[in-house]
Amino acid sequence: MSAPPAAETVPDQSVLPGAQRERACLVTLGGHLFAVDVREAREVVMLEPLTVVPGAPAPLLGVANLRGSVLAVVEPRPLLGLPARP
């Protein structure tokens, strides 16, 4: 009888003593890398199309329908001091 196949080993992921591991979603905006703590995010979705809101402030791109709920869509770049996307 042959031996069972060896289980795959997970590579050692060294962590500094006392350091905490965090899970984040990495996003690049205007050439800058940002991390969003996944505990602060509910989900990632693709939204189309947006409905423009007349008279809305510049960061508000519009609103979208997300499973029957109105969702505000904001351009974060100017709020972070970065140039807005064309």
Side-chain angles (χ1 to χ4, degrees), residues 27-56:
V27 180
T28 303
L29 292 173
H32 298 277
L33 185 63
F34 293 89
V36 178
D37 188 332
V38 296
R39 294 174 295 186
E40 300 297 328
R42 289 189 206 168
E43 63 183 296
V44 176
V45 296
M46 298 294 291
L47 297 173
E48 294 180 31
L50 293 182
T51 301
V52 176
V53 179

